[in-house]
């Protein structure tokens, strides 16, 4: 069996995405029934950037699956001192069942995967955040009962990792994805093209707009993210004015569907990309979304390990 990795949202075919989401629902309903890591086998969980949700959900998830979470910060490993990614992959592959890595340049996880004989999972790169989208889609399906045909609007920094992942994963699920952001902060064309290619298979669509109203109008799902991603801190002041028209406010949501589902991957900055009243509203989906990181990633690990990954 060849090893499967999960580096981008479109690494799963549309039917495979639904398999993982169905498994995520089953895992959530019966959290300790599956123990593919019993032994315990270890999963290396590596961080080159800060994290709360990804760190906690993978650590808890691996333990729930009977395994041992081995959490390493790059500063405390030889990877952080320049040991080649390929050498790290070879060493980890001899000892762990899977590798989860949060890092910067996307090609770094590609290099890790190319040299790894166990599944490599992207825990966020500068380009995409595919594990987050598994949780997001699980949450939307819980709230609405479906994905295909829904309009999913992501507003704010349309050039960041979340924007690319909403395009890829939403299209993979047959959704009509709209990415709304100011000029200069629009998605990489290669990701829009890849998402459109996937949408052509699923009946979804992908549009990009600089007009906030066009993004919000009639949306079934509205998602946003910080205007200042990790590593962009020095740009914060410059981003505020152009991004403000894309803030998720009660007024803006007046244009969306009456039962709109609002998503935010967190951490959130109240009063900037999202109004406190929206984030903290009774019935806000964002806390389910954060919880679903655990269930969706456990499902992903089960799915990847079943498909041939995992020495150790
Ligand atoms: N949403 C998310 O990935 O959160 P962390 O940065 O806390 O992991
Ligand atoms: N776009 C954000 C997501 C954080 C989970 C960042 O990369 O910092």
């Amino acid at each position: 069996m060849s090893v499967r990795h999960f580096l981008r949202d479109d690494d799963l075919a549309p039917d495979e995405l639904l398999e993982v989401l169905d498994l995520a629902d089953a895992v959530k309903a019966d959290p300790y029934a599956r123990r593919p890591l019993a032994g315990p086998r270890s999963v290396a969980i590596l961080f080159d950037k800060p994290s709360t949700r990804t760190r906690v959900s993978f650590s808890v998830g691996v333990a729930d699956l009977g395994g041992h979470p081995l959490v390493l910060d790059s500063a405390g490993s030889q990877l952080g001192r320049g040991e080649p990614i390929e050498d790290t992959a070879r060493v980890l592959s001899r000892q762990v069942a899977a590798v989860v890595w949060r890092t910067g340049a996307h090609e770094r996880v590609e290099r890790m995967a190319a040299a790894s004989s166990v599944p490599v999972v992207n825990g966020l790169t500068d380009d995409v955040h595919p594990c987050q989208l598994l949780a997001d889609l699980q949450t939307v399906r819980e709230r609405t009962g479906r994905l295909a045909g829904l309009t999913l609007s992501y507003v704010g920094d349309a050039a960041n990792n979340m924007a690319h992942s909403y395009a890829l994963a939403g299209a993979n699920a047959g959704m009509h994805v709209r990415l709304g952001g100011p000029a200069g902060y629009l998605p990489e064309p290669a990701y829009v093209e890849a998402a459109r290619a996937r949408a052509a298979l699923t009946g979804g669509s992908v549009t990009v707009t600089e007009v906030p109203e066009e993004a919000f109008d009639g949306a079934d799902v509205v998602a946003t993210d910080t205007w200042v991603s990790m590593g962009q801190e020095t740009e914060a002041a410059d981003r505020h004015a152009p991004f403000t028209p894309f803030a998720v406010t009660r007024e803006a949501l007046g244009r969306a569907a009456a039962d709109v589902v609002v998503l935010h991957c967190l951490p959130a900055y109240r009063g900037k990309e999202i109004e406190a009243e929206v984030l903290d509203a009774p019935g806000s989906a964002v806390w389910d979304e954060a919880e679903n990181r655990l269930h969706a990633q456990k499902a992903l690990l089960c799915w990847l390990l079943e498909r041939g990954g995992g020495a150790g």
Side-chain angles (χ1 to χ4, degrees):
M1 282 188 290
S2 62
V3 178
R4 293 287 299 265
H5 304 291
F6 187 57
L7 307 185
R8 290 169 48 132
D9 309 82
D10 54 354
D11 282 347
L12 294 174
D15 60 326
E16 293 175 335
L17 170 62
L18 294 178
E19 277 180 37
V20 173
L21 293 177
D22 287 346
L23 191 52
D25 290 344
V27 164
K28 188 169 183 173
D30 195 356
Y32 309 110
R34 289 166 182 79
R35 297 183 60 82
L37 292 167
R41 297 158 77 200
S42 296
V43 172
I45 309 168
L46 313 175
F47 291 94
D48 294 350
K49 294 183 177 187
S51 167
T52 297
R53 278 143 290 270
T54 305
R55 187 185 303 264
V56 171
S57 55
F58 270 111
S59 299
V60 173
V62 166
D64 284 359
L65 296 175
H68 169 68
L70 180 63
V71 181
L72 288 173
D73 281 312
S74 63
S77 75
Q78 299 290 3
L79 192 58
R81 293 182 62 241
E83 183 170 14
I85 291 168
E86 289 76 10
D87 290 358
T88 305
R90 290 183 193 107
V91 171
L92 291 176
S93 292
R94 300 281 182 113
Q95 301 190 46
V96 302
V99 176
V100 178
W101 193 14
R102 167 169 290 193
T103 190
H106 186 77
E107 56 100 20
R108 289 165 63 77
V109 290
E110 292 175 339
R111 286 173 55 193
M112 181 77 85
S116 175
S117 60
V118 300
V120 174
V121 174
N122 179 352
L124 179 148
T125 61
D126 292 343
D127 284 16
V128 285
H129 193 4
C131 288
Q132 181 67 52
L133 261 290
L134 295 178
D136 284 33
L137 294 181
Q138 182 181 16
T139 307
V140 172
R141 218 168 60 152
E142 286 173 344
R143 297 266 167 160
T144 67
R146 66 195 181 108
L147 294 174
L150 293 179
T151 296
L152 185 167
S153 296
Y154 169 85
V155 290
D157 182 0
N160 76 4
N161 41 19
M162 288 303 300
H164 295 150
S165 275
Y166 278 116
L168 292 173
N172 213 13
M175 303 173 90
H176 299 295
V177 182
R178 298 182 198 154
L179 302 177
Y185 299 98
L186 297 173
E188 284 292 327
Y191 282 105
V192 177
E193 281 165 31
R196 285 188 175 141
R198 196 47 68 95
L201 301 176
T202 61
S205 63
V206 181
T207 57
V208 178
T209 179
E210 296 173 27
V211 180
E213 293 77 13
E214 284 179 11
F216 283 104
D217 269 349
D220 299 300
V221 181
V222 169
T224 191
D225 183 20
T226 179
W227 292 340
V228 184
S229 286
M230 291 179 274
Q232 298 173 336
E233 288 75 9
T234 57
E235 301 174 30
D238 295 338
R239 288 170 170 249
H240 190 79
F243 284 7
T244 295
F246 293 88
V248 177
T249 62
R250 281 164 304 172
E251 189 186 344
L253 290 175
R255 293 183 165 275
D259 55 352
V260 61
V261 177
V262 176
L263 298 178
H264 193 310
C265 65
L266 304 175
Y269 299 88
R270 291 169 174 81
K272 293 198 165 65
E273 76 275 5
I274 190 163
E275 229 173 30
E277 289 82 348
V278 174
L279 189 76
D280 300 322
S284 171
V286 299
W287 315 113
D288 289 346
E289 182 187 359
E291 178 190 327
N292 285 341
R293 292 291 302 277
L294 171 64
H295 310 303
Q297 290 161 189
K298 284 170 67 178
L300 175 73
L301 287 174
C302 289
W303 192 91
L304 290 171
L305 291 166
E306 269 175 25
R307 274 153 184 77

